[in-house]
Amino acid sequence: MSKSIDQIFVYAKHWLLTWLTAAPGWIIQIVSSLINIFALLGVFLTLFALMSVLERKILGRIQNRYGPNRVGPFGLLQPLADGIKMLIKEDIVPARADKLVHFLAPILIAAAAILALGVIPYGRNMTPFTIDGGILFFFAVGSTTELAVFMAGWGSNNKFSMLGAMRAIAQMISYELPLIITVLPVVMVVGSLTPDRIVAAQAGYTFGFVPRWFVFTPWGATAFILFFVSGLVESNRTPFDVPEGESEIVAGHMTEYSGFKYATFFMAEYIGMFAITGLAATLFLGGWHSPVSALEFIPSYVWFFAKLSALLFVYIWLRGTLPRTRIDQIMNFAWKFILPMSFTCVIAAAVWHYAGRGLRGWLWSLVVIAIVYTALSMLLDTQRKFAPRVYRFAE
Amino acid sequence: MTPTLQLFLIISAALFSIGLLAALSRRHAIFILIGIEMMLAAANLNFIAFWRFSPQSQPPTGVMIAIFSIAIAAAEAAVGLALVIAVYRHYRTTNVDHLNQLKG
Amino acid sequence: MSSAAVVIIAILTLAAALAAATLQKLMHATLSFAVALVGVAALFFLLGAEFVGLVLVFVYIGAVAVLIVFTILLTRRDVGKDRAANWGGAFLAVAVFGGLTWAILKTQSVAVVAPHIRLVTVKRIGEALMTSYVWPLQCVGLLLTAALIGALVLVMEEKP
């Protein structure tokens, strides 16, 4: 019974495909891909709508107000109203803009974000697009975002757009490095770039109750935190939203976009966020595995989306509590702290592997990480860095 | 109908010629770099095509050489663009026709 | 792998490459260059070298294209326009293409269809990199480090 509920979507797809048994092979292939694509788009566009209203409601609660509560029950139909508003707004293209580049940028950024969703395993046998180098595909597609952001900034021909695009590229390139290097220990330990294999490697429980997720090893926990922070920067979220800092440069690379193009940028940002949190759940939080063996009857996709929602909640929480950082602080943090720590994760994972993947390896890798962390914090002299700022110009 | 090796070689030759066109006829240093990158991509396409159409080899030599050549192309692009920036700082131009002085 | 797919992708790739070589605006040319490289990566996918295709997209779109647009931004005074193809370059390019095509069509040994081979997996590439190609790998690592340092030294502010 629980197995059939677990596999209900897979069975549904097979049932849909039985209508086509007479058709030639390539038609079946195309229809199968189309089913995957529509399922993916349906789920994640709904999640985007839900997230946009829930984020505003949670932020409202954090800031001691109600948030949207007028449209529909509890304000849940707010995204519909927003969508209609965006659709009927005038689409403005600046006269001096590079029209073609200005037009293509939102399309490219949305396409890149949606493509990246394709390789994540959402449940048992539920990977939309299985490919040998799935993780590499994710990052190859994700790196297109930088070009799209730049196209938006350049095409608008506006100084705020240009400034925003430059800031965005600077911070995205700086944080893409740790993002990839923190994935390396997982890839190294599993010995595969396929997300399905990485999830399968995290099955089972140590001592019968601790799930064998990578986040429960010292290197995994460190890599997870670093990955999460880098993902936060990659998706341009507060506290790292300098590229679109409203109080400094209007809206960064999105300044000259209006109506539905602006909505597309907004959607791409959220979908990129889903992709990066989904990858974090896959790599470190055991993907669709349940945390307790007694709860394994709950379908795998429910666990995956529970983990995704928990991570997304942390995103909203951070946005509600932390102020925006300065661009130089972000860059210093990336090159002086995050990058050395991510290399340490790779070394700690190797130590863990060669010390037998048991308790001894656990302790040794903890020692490696602790030594590097202490040395780095002594070297960087954080006390001085975060001392009260001296204002020279704005008094 | 399955394609033969000839088709891929002709595609690669065309890409190489277009890269040559860009490298020879443009005067902007960045364009010349783009042309060189296109020629390198054409060479990679040749490596992969020859690997795919020849009997199986272990290790997959064509694939390995393509990977190394991509890495070298990336290094070349980084140094080339750094040179462009350095030259621009000095002469305030990136037009290679105007860079005709030995004395800086 | 069917000829139709190869020909369609090849036409798109070559059109984008031609646009990159002849368009007047630098930014448009760079973006066409990126499209052409995606086309080359698609050809790699059709040839069964998925890993190389992904690496190509990753390195060229994620790094080289972004570097080029960054350089365009930093050398902005010259951004204007460049003259399009001149006749000498075009003639030479056509001559090279003609010569290569003639040679390819004359050679009978390249008119073969692809044999059935086991597709190359990431695991096999990794094993080859760590065994028989470990020296080239180290050399590429050294080269990349040298390139990194060299690029940094080149663009460092000159002391007056």
Side-chain angles (χ1 to χ4, degrees):
Chain A
M1 180 58 198
S2 72
K3 183 168 179 290
S4 60
I5 293 177
D6 190 31
Q7 296 293 298
I8 186 163
F9 296 116
V10 182
Y11 292 155
K13 189 184 154 191
H14 281 305
W15 179 76
L16 278 176
L17 285 179
T18 48
W19 294 74
L20 285 170
T21 37
W26 60 274
I27 288 187
I28 293 183
Q29 213 175 359
I30 287 175
V31 171
S32 161
S33 313
L34 281 179
I35 292 174
N36 285 352
I37 291 167
F38 281 114
L40 205 66
L41 283 182
V43 169
F44 278 97
L45 291 185
T46 318
L47 198 63
F48 161 58
L50 259 177
M51 172 88 179
S52 69
V53 65
L54 282 181
E55 171 161 25
R56 289 166 67 182
K57 282 193 91 75
I58 295 171
L59 277 182
R61 288 291 166 180
I62 290 176
Q63 294 158 0
N64 248 339
R65 54 192 174 83
Y66 284 115
N69 60 356
R70 295 289 108 181
V71 195
F74 306 108
L76 277 178
L77 292 182
Q78 184 71 36
L80 208 67
D82 284 346
I84 293 170
K85 186 188 110 185
M86 287 287 191
L87 268 176
I88 57 177
K89 269 193 172 182
E90 189 191 351
D91 176 37
I92 301 168
V93 181
R96 300 283 306 275
D98 194 333
K99 302 250 170 9
L100 189 68
V101 177
H102 186 268
F103 173 71
L104 284 177
I107 298 175
L108 182 62
I109 202 166
I114 292 168
L115 268 176
L117 286 174
V119 289
I120 296 169
Y122 297 101
R124 198 173 275 122
N125 304 328
M126 278 168 65
T127 312
F129 175 44
T130 316
I131 182 175
D132 194 29
I135 305 284
L136 192 63
F137 179 87
F138 185 95
F139 288 119
V141 168
S143 65
T144 318
T145 316
E146 286 155 25
L147 207 58
V149 167
F150 193 89
M151 281 165 71
W154 176 272
S156 305
N157 205 354
N158 171 321
K159 65 183 165 204
F160 294 121
S161 305
M162 208 60 250
L163 270 175
M166 275 201 89
R167 285 182 177 191
I169 292 189
Q171 80 172 41
M172 278 164 116
I173 288 183
S174 311
Y175 278 87
E176 201 169 337
L177 230 58
L179 198 70
I180 292 162
I181 291 166
T182 46
V183 173
L184 272 188
V186 175
V187 172
M188 216 165 74
V189 164
V190 177
S192 172
L193 274 171
T194 322
D196 293 301
R197 298 268 292 277
I198 290 173
V199 172
Q202 300 182 63
Y205 304 89
T206 342
F207 312 127
F209 65 93
V210 184
R212 233 175 249 144
W213 301 351
F214 291 131
V215 77
F216 291 116
T217 53
W219 57 268
T222 319
F224 174 65
I225 294 168
L226 296 175
F227 186 89
F228 191 80
V229 172
S230 309
L232 209 62
V233 183
E234 285 285 306
S235 43
N236 293 342
R237 294 277 300 183
T238 335
F240 302 111
D241 63 342
V242 278
E244 52 208 64
E246 294 87 353
S247 47
E248 302 159 24
I249 46 172
V250 195
H253 55 276
M254 302 187 281
T255 306
E256 293 290 358
Y257 284 92
S258 62
F260 205 65
K261 286 182 189 159
Y262 183 81
T264 313
F265 269 105
F266 200 62
M267 186 191 80
E269 193 180 318
Y270 274 78
I271 288 188
M273 220 158 84
F274 299 150
I276 211 107
T277 42
L279 192 69
T282 305
L283 289 172
F284 300 104
L285 299 182
W288 40 262
H289 285 300
S290 82
V292 186
S293 58
L295 290 178
E296 263 170 5
F297 66 91
I298 295 177
S300 51
Y301 43 85
V302 174
W303 281 120
F304 181 85
F305 281 99
K307 287 167 190 173
L308 193 72
S309 323
L311 289 179
L312 288 176
F313 175 72
V314 179
Y315 268 51
I316 299 172
W317 187 13
L318 287 177
R319 179 172 170 189
T321 37
L322 292 179
R324 184 181 301 142
T325 42
R326 293 199 315 266
I327 185 83
D328 59 316
Q329 288 169 339
I330 295 179
M331 301 304 269
N332 273 339
F333 189 53
W335 293 100
K336 291 185 183 162
F337 181 74
I338 290 209
L339 197 60
M341 277 313 282
S342 8
F343 279 118
T344 316
C345 284
V346 178
I347 296 167
V351 168
W352 179 78
H353 176 75
Y354 283 108
R357 298 198 174 201
L359 203 59
R360 207 157 61 90
W362 202 91
L363 287 174
W364 273 114
S365 62
L366 186 66
V367 167
V368 170
I369 286 171
I371 289 174
V372 175
Y373 179 78
T374 335
L376 264 183
S377 34
M378 272 157 69
L379 212 72
L380 292 180
D381 196 6
T382 43
Q383 289 298 315
R384 194 170 48 81
K385 279 273 157 54
F386 295 115
R389 259 180 92 197
V390 183
Y391 290 95
R392 273 179 300 175
F393 306 112
E395 280 188 284
Chain B
M1 184 193 148
T2 53
T4 59
L5 179 55
Q6 273 180 338
L7 181 58
F8 285 98
L9 292 185
I10 289 173
I11 294 168
S12 157
L15 192 59
F16 184 86
S17 312
I18 292 170
L20 196 66
L21 173 70
L24 285 181
S25 59
R26 292 304 185 102
R27 298 272 64 87
H28 199 294
I30 297 173
F31 269 128
I32 295 174
L33 207 72
I34 289 180
I36 293 171
E37 293 291 339
M38 272 199 282
M39 288 194 268
L40 276 168
N44 282 341
L45 185 57
N46 251 2
F47 279 127
I48 296 289
F50 273 113
W51 161 77
R52 182 67 182 79
F53 284 87
S54 57
Q56 187 160 18
S57 66
Q58 180 64 12
T61 322
V63 173
M64 307 312 289
I65 292 187
I67 291 172
F68 285 124
S69 115
I70 289 171
I72 291 166
E76 177 243 315
V79 176
L81 291 169
L83 265 175
V84 172
I85 291 176
V87 164
Y88 176 78
R89 274 211 190 120
H90 209 80
Y91 294 101
R92 293 281 138 193
T93 180
T94 46
N95 188 328
V96 287
D97 275 351
H98 298 160
L99 307 175
N100 48 10
Q101 292 173 319
L102 284 176
K103 218 169 86 183
Chain C
M1 181 163 60
S2 72
S3 277
V6 173
V7 168
I8 291 169
I9 290 176
I11 288 171
L12 290 177
T13 309
L14 294 178
L18 206 58
T22 52
L23 278 181
Q24 297 236 317
K25 279 189 184 159
L26 254 180
M27 188 55 75
H28 290 182
T30 310
L31 295 176
S32 318
F33 168 67
V35 173
L37 283 164
V38 171
V40 173
L43 286 176
F44 284 5
F45 265 72
L46 281 179
L47 282 167
E50 289 175 2
F51 185 75
V52 189
L54 289 176
V55 169
L56 191 85
V57 172
F58 191 43
V59 170
Y60 275 96
I61 312 294
V64 174
V66 174
L67 261 182
I68 291 177
V69 288
F70 227 96
T71 314
I72 293 174
L73 201 72
L74 291 175
T75 59
R76 224 169 155 189
R77 187 179 294 183
D78 259 18
V79 144
K81 286 174 179 180
D82 190 17
R83 97 188 129 105
N86 68 352
W87 290 110
F91 176 75
L92 197 62
V94 169
V96 166
F97 178 62
L100 282 173
T101 312
W102 178 77
I104 291 163
L105 289 177
K106 281 290 257 191
T107 315
Q108 287 305 311
S109 59
V110 295
V112 289
V113 291
H116 282 283
I117 60 171
R118 203 154 50 90
L119 284 185
V120 59
T121 58
V122 181
K123 204 178 180 71
R124 269 176 68 202
I125 293 176
E127 275 162 6
L129 270 181
M130 283 299 148
T131 52
S132 36
Y133 285 87
V134 74
W135 275 108
L137 185 70
Q138 297 294 331
C139 291
V140 165
L142 192 69
L143 177 80
L144 287 173
T145 317
L148 178 71
I149 296 169
L152 274 179
V153 170
L154 273 175
V155 294
M156 235 188 261
E157 291 289 339
E158 287 172 40
K159 293 266 155 45

